[in-house]
Amino acid sequence: MFDLILVADWSATSGHTGRKPRKDAIWVCADLKGEQTVEYFPTRSLALAWIDDWLSRGYRTLVGFDFAMGYPAGFATTLTGRPDALAVWDWLAERIEDGPDNVNNRFAVAEQVNRAFPGVGPLWGRPASQLHPDLPERGSDRQDHGVDDRRTVDAFVPRAQSVLKLYTAGSVGSQSLVGLAALAHLRRRHPDLRVWPQETGFALPESGNLLVEIYPSLFEPAAHDFRDAGQVIATARALREAPAGWFTAPSVLPDTARVAAEEGWILGVLPPSSCFALPPGADWTPVDVALDTLRRDLTVVTGIEDVTIVEAAFRILARDVVAVRSNPPEANAAVDGWAFAHDGLRPGGIPMVDGRAAAGRPFEGIVPCGEAIRILTGAVIPKGADTVALQEDAMLADGLLHLKAVPRKGANTRRAGEDVCEGDPVLRAGGILRPTDVALAIAAGHGTLPVRRRLRVGVLSTGDEIVAPGEGGGIPDVNRPMLLAIVTGWDFDAVDLGRAPDEAGALAATLDAADVDAILTSGGASAGDEDHLSRLLRERGGLHHWRIAIKPGRPLALGHWNGTPLFGLPGNPVAAFTCAALFARPALFQMAGAGWRVPVGVTVPAAFSKSKKAGRREVLRARLRDGRAEIFRSEGSGLVSGLSWAEGFVELPDRAVEIAPGDLVRYIAFAELGIG
């Protein structure tokens, strides 16, 4: 998502902390595409200058600071007249003075804050030696200020301290007072730096730089002499792998917009799913939370086998591949012409050497200095020669070669190893081998490749009403043939598990007998009398998520049976197709050794109108015409004709949206999902 990640462990300490690295000072980690640099800074001004420099380099950047970027509800309104955390930032930036040697006036500014509140203001904590009558030394001395001690996010963070506490052990409030003023100035220098979620809401912008609040104690520190340095390293690594759900999951909160704008949030802290605009009493799991569970819990289950190079296309590479030969192995001619030593050229005709050099038939001798030899495309450059004249640029007369123009030295030759040198890495493990990758492996000297054994995926239909395709007297089994074809198209081994009746014992027996790595079922995942799958998973298997907040697609059962991952897809064909594409596909590829594969969407104008309530992600059958996304005439999940009509999905976010023609929407082509 981001090219560059900057993680800062901040400090509000007064005074220069010295040239020698130490704990409880400022440490910043820069992670550029996985390559990390960690730096110690004795002053805030030096740290900010370093961060400024990185932000000026043009990378898409995620910047994280480890202090609260907002205050509890009511704080901003009382102080600034606006329920907006960024208004507090600007208020502080006008008053905080922080010198180049870390000398600041934070306690005096804290007094100004408190004077804006009724009673004794909310901020507290100061050295006993400093006289600040409007800043209590102890929290118990405050009263009637009307602000809670903690923000909403603090309820979900172990050992979280109140941002209102400025001094004594464990206090974090001073970091925010000084830090927010600094961030306000930083944003003015970098207008493209947006603040999540205060400016963006609980969403992940598709472009631009982002400023976020972090909590390094969420992650085990990396090995380092200083714990603070280890924490910023570990946090940068975690943010490098951060799923989209970290940004969007807090949208399940009540009063989401206010929490985002006034209090902010800590990236990576996930509240329990709740408060979707869905039937009372129903506990719906957000899409990103379900996907994060799959990504976290599923591991590679396929073994490794060596296959011949001609069998390797579309298989998953199991180990990194390095070149065992250079390509080309020796310098050779790029054209038909004449080869000679450039430094040996003299005015007039060039004597010719008897013989020639051709591809597969090299010239065995040495070309004398000042002489030339006939050479054909692909032939090894003979010893003594380093340049080739194109045959159209020369002529033979009286046994001598006459050049129409003298080529530059080395012209029309291919250097040895120009493409790949022996020992170079050429292919990375986890890639799906394309025909072009196979070509590169061959050029690099390989005749076999280590690949992952194909994942075995069982497909099962459930329900007494289901009949085989072409038979009468029931509902034709659309899902099983469709899903078997999809799984085969993903280059997995599709295993037909047949149909199980609406009888718990028979369904359990079929699942017990399945000799596969993963199972896709359709039907029986709801809460009706004959919906046995979800009940069996709760009683005998492991049910991780059941009702997912997606349309079409609920209910969708995600769990395990005898340790085998099971995806209980809905019975309606459109919902089964949608959930297989969006949930099963990335999970199966991760199990197969290809990593978690997120489809790449494009932003296009809508050719439709749509009003959507908050609560569920909606996935519409769609196709592109004249660069605009049009959607199928109906959202009914039983209308199979819509699947044939569609060429992709339009994905609408969990929040409420109003779409009018011309508004931008996210479109995912079926080809991007490996379907069609």
Side-chain angles (χ1 to χ4, degrees):
M1 293 184 286
F2 295 90
D3 300 316
L4 173 65
I5 294 173
L6 300 173
V7 174
D9 184 299
W10 204 239
S11 172
T13 188
S14 294
H16 195 289
T17 57
R19 295 184 180 277
K20 187 176 180 180
R22 48 166 281 187
K23 65 178 183 178
D24 299 326
I26 298 175
W27 291 87
V28 186
C29 179
D31 181 310
L32 179 61
K33 300 179 180 179
E35 297 293 326
Q36 292 189 328
T37 302
V38 64
E39 295 284 342
Y40 157 78
F41 295 97
T43 67
R44 287 179 288 278
S45 59
L46 290 174
L48 288 168
W50 196 71
I51 292 169
D52 261 331
D53 177 63
W54 274 109
L55 287 172
S56 301
R57 300 186 189 185
Y59 299 111
R60 190 184 184 202
T61 305
L62 179 69
V63 188
F65 284 83
D66 69 332
F67 51 79
M69 293 187 179
Y71 287 85
F75 185 99
T77 301
T78 302
L79 183 64
T80 71
R82 295 163 50 195
D84 179 1
L86 299 184
V88 176
W89 295 25
D90 293 336
W91 191 95
L92 292 172
E94 294 175 1
R95 294 164 176 80
I96 289 286
E97 298 172 2
D98 193 16
D101 287 327
N102 274 0
V103 176
N104 62 67
N105 64 337
R106 66 184 186 273
F107 296 119
V109 173
E111 281 193 294
Q112 296 180 49
V113 171
N114 279 350
R115 291 174 194 140
F117 287 80
V120 177
L123 300 182
W124 66 278
R126 59 175 171 81
S129 59
Q130 294 195 19
L131 298 178
H132 293 285
D134 290 322
L135 181 63
E137 184 180 352
R138 295 175 298 275
S140 57
D141 293 337
R142 298 171 301 158
Q143 57 184 351
D144 301 327
H145 52 74
V147 176
D148 288 338
D149 267 1
R150 296 179 182 273
R151 301 178 295 161
T152 303
V153 69
D154 296 333
F156 307 110
V157 181
R159 301 178 300 279
Q161 293 281 340
S162 170
V163 67
L164 305 179
K165 179 182 177 182
L166 307 183
Y167 192 70
T168 69
S171 61
V172 294
S174 284
Q175 287 178 284
S176 290
L177 278 183
V178 177
L180 294 179
L183 294 188
H185 294 303
L186 186 69
R187 292 178 65 241
R188 292 168 189 170
R189 294 191 296 273
H190 301 277
D192 60 339
L193 188 60
R194 301 176 69 195
V195 186
W196 177 91
Q198 285 90 332
E199 289 184 297
T200 65
F202 290 119
L204 173 59
E206 293 188 358
S207 62
N209 299 332
L210 214 58
L211 180 61
V212 300
E213 178 182 343
I214 57 172
Y215 192 75
S217 295
L218 293 174
F219 314 106
E220 186 68 24
H224 197 279
D225 291 342
F226 295 94
R227 179 180 175 84
D228 292 346
Q231 285 190 318
V232 295
I233 292 170
T235 304
R237 288 175 182 166
L239 296 180
R240 171 66 59 198
E241 300 297 326
W246 282 16
F247 295 88
T248 59
S251 62
V252 304
L253 295 165
D255 205 5
T256 291
R258 183 200 60 76
V259 171
E262 188 174 359
E263 297 188 4
W265 197 264
I266 299 169
L267 184 60
V269 174
L270 306 180
S273 59
S274 60
C275 308
F276 278 90
L278 291 166
D283 182 18
W284 300 98
T285 301
V287 169
D288 289 329
V289 172
L291 289 172
D292 288 346
T293 300
L294 293 172
R295 183 177 183 179
R296 183 187 65 241
D297 292 351
L298 295 178
T299 59
V300 179
V301 299
T302 50
I304 300 174
E305 59 185 2
D306 288 327
V307 299
T308 65
I309 202 78
V310 296
E311 300 174 294
F314 307 111
R315 300 292 296 274
I316 297 169
L317 189 63
R319 300 189 187 96
D320 291 348
V321 171
V322 300
V324 296
R325 69 186 285 276
S326 296
N327 183 49
E330 299 178 86
N332 65 83
V335 298
D336 292 344
W338 289 269
F340 48 82
H342 191 277
D343 292 343
L345 291 178
R346 298 292 182 268
I350 305 170
M352 295 293 297
V353 174
D354 287 338
R356 70 172 191 171
R361 296 182 179 180
F363 180 71
E364 301 296 343
I366 298 175
V367 178
C369 185
E371 299 186 21
I373 188 172
R374 177 65 170 162
I375 193 167
L376 303 180
T377 303
V380 173
I381 302 294
K383 293 179 180 178
D386 57 20
T387 303
V388 175
L390 189 68
Q391 64 181 19
E392 291 87 349
D393 292 339
M395 61 178 294
L396 286 172
D398 302 324
L400 297 176
L401 180 69
H402 297 272
L403 300 178
K404 298 177 183 178
V406 178
R408 60 177 175 78
K409 187 173 183 177
N412 301 314
T413 65
R414 303 186 185 103
R415 293 178 290 103
E418 182 178 77
D419 181 23
V420 172
C421 289
E422 182 179 346
D424 283 352
V426 290
L427 296 170
R428 294 295 185 187
I432 298 174
L433 292 165
R434 303 166 297 170
T436 48
D437 298 323
V438 172
L440 174 58
I442 294 170
H446 291 274
T448 63
L449 288 175
V451 298
R452 290 285 177 182
R453 175 182 58 78
R454 281 191 173 92
L455 191 75
R456 286 173 55 82
V457 182
V459 179
L460 173 69
S461 289
T462 66
D464 290 337
E465 74 280 10
I466 300 298
V467 298
E471 292 185 5
I475 298 175
D477 189 353
V478 171
N479 289 342
R480 184 157 46 100
M482 175 182 69
L483 294 171
L484 287 167
I486 290 173
V487 169
T488 300
W490 290 336
D491 204 44
F492 303 142
D493 280 343
V495 180
D496 189 349
L497 300 179
R499 178 186 66 84
D502 285 325
E503 197 277 309
L507 175 58
T510 301
L511 295 175
D512 286 339
D515 181 20
V516 293
D517 300 310
I519 301 171
L520 304 183
T521 69
S522 61
S526 190
D529 292 343
E530 300 300 332
D531 291 314
H532 300 292
L533 179 66
S534 53
R535 179 171 56 81
L536 282 171
L537 285 174
R538 285 194 300 269
E539 293 174 356
R540 289 191 46 188
L543 184 62
H544 300 303
H545 297 294
W546 178 28
R547 294 172 173 169
I548 312 296
I550 187 171
K551 177 184 178 182
R554 76 179 200 272
L556 166 67
L558 303 177
H560 283 81
W561 186 268
N562 295 336
T564 300
L566 185 147
F567 302 81
L569 307 177
N572 282 325
V574 175
F577 175 88
T578 302
C579 291
L582 300 183
F583 292 93
R585 176 183 174 271
L588 294 176
F589 273 104
Q590 179 154 300
M591 293 173 63
W596 188 264
R597 294 189 166 246
V598 178
V600 177
V602 294
T603 302
V604 298
F608 61 91
S609 298
K610 168 75 175 174
S611 178
K612 175 193 170 298
K613 295 180 180 179
R616 287 185 294 173
R617 188 164 305 181
E618 292 195 15
V619 182
L620 310 175
R621 284 154 285 174
R623 63 187 184 185
L624 293 184
R625 292 294 182 268
D626 299 324
R628 295 160 66 89
E630 56 184 41
I631 60 174
F632 189 56
R633 58 181 171 82
S634 171
E635 296 177 21
S637 58
L639 301 182
V640 184
S641 60
L643 291 178
S644 180
W645 175 92
E647 297 167 0
F649 291 134
V650 161
E651 187 179 68
L652 301 181
D654 302 349
R655 66 182 184 276
V657 292
E658 294 284 340
I659 303 294
D663 290 347
L664 296 180
V665 294
R666 184 171 186 248
Y667 176 80
I668 304 171
F670 286 165
E672 179 65 26
L673 295 164
I675 303 169

